[in-house]
Amino acid sequence: MGFIDDIKVRARQNVKTIVLPETEDRRTLEAAAITLKEGNANIILVGTDEEIEKNAEGLDISGAKRINPHTTEKLQSYIDKLVELRQAKGMTAEKAREALTTDYTTFAVMMVKMGDADGVVSGACHSTANTLRPCLQILKTAPGTKLVSAFFVIVVPNCEYGADGTFIFGDSGLVQNPNPEELAAIAESSAKSFELLVGKEAKVAMLSHSTMGSAKHADVDKVVEATKIAKEQYPHIKLDGELQLDAAIVPSVGSSKAPNSEIAGHANVLIFPDLDAGNIGYKLAQRLAKAEAYGPITQGIAAPVNDLSRGCSAEDIVGVVAITAVQAQAK
């Protein structure tokens, strides 16, 4: 059974409620229809009946619950809560009403905050900032988490590396240029996410263009320092670096370049030095290796809210909905 098939089976064992706010996008509604048919999650669609019906023509979404922010009886309680949370930042009842009725993602996130849903999936036609801003404002970070970051689950077909071709690439969606402390925190969060979603022990490689001192540069120094911090602060995680990509995942190269490392050649969680490398890396794997790429999946938020690539397909959204449901089960 493949990664996403296993995730769907787990999602169906304890069905959670996921909100899809982008009902103006046909792919979202296609994903809703597939998810409902497969039974991976209960679905809430945010929007008016008119716009949902128009965009869902020919699709069976009869099993989804629909919420119109303008007419729901819960709007006032949402307004009151948003004012309570953001009044120090100048939030008024008027501003809260406008935000909740014009920005469906904000409304969806408030549903999670108020316990009316378990998670949100958005981003098919909006920016990452549009998806994550209300999360950070309303849900905040999870207890004990130093920062919110993002990763992709990469599943490479017919691949003997990683966990039978399955990897986590982090951060490949959010943190632009993490400092050593942030890079170490991303490694720790990504290891937890790998073990939750893949169900195997995480083996974390801190990636660089250098392996164990083979090159000298400030960029290498950052990864070396991040590795040191991670080993000190998270000693329970199997982690090593700095490692070049081939030394991280190919056993013969790992044993040659880093013979004293138990991670070299066996890594399944790849931590990139910055967002440029992470974003380029996941897209290379997706486009050239024909890998399945699920994400960007967020980690470190108090409840699961996940972004989508604007180039995603309906099937991609189905996969992220199932992943979000499994994350919600863990909460």
Side-chain angles (χ1 to χ4, degrees), residues 63-76:
K65 182 177 181 179
R66 303 180 189 184
I67 301 290
N68 183 340
H70 295 273
T71 60
T72 177
E73 61 184 15
K74 294 192 175 184
L75 178 59
Q76 188 58 52

Side-chain angles (χ1 to χ4, degrees), residues 105-142:
T105 300
T106 296
F107 185 90
V109 171
M110 185 58 71
M111 292 191 73
V112 174
K113 180 67 176 180
M114 298 294 280
D116 295 324
D118 300 304
V120 178
V121 174
S122 186
C125 55
H126 291 88
S127 68
T128 294
N130 182 268
T131 298
L132 295 184
R133 187 184 303 110
C135 302
L136 298 176
Q137 293 175 343
I138 295 169
L139 298 175
K140 315 293 186 183
T141 56

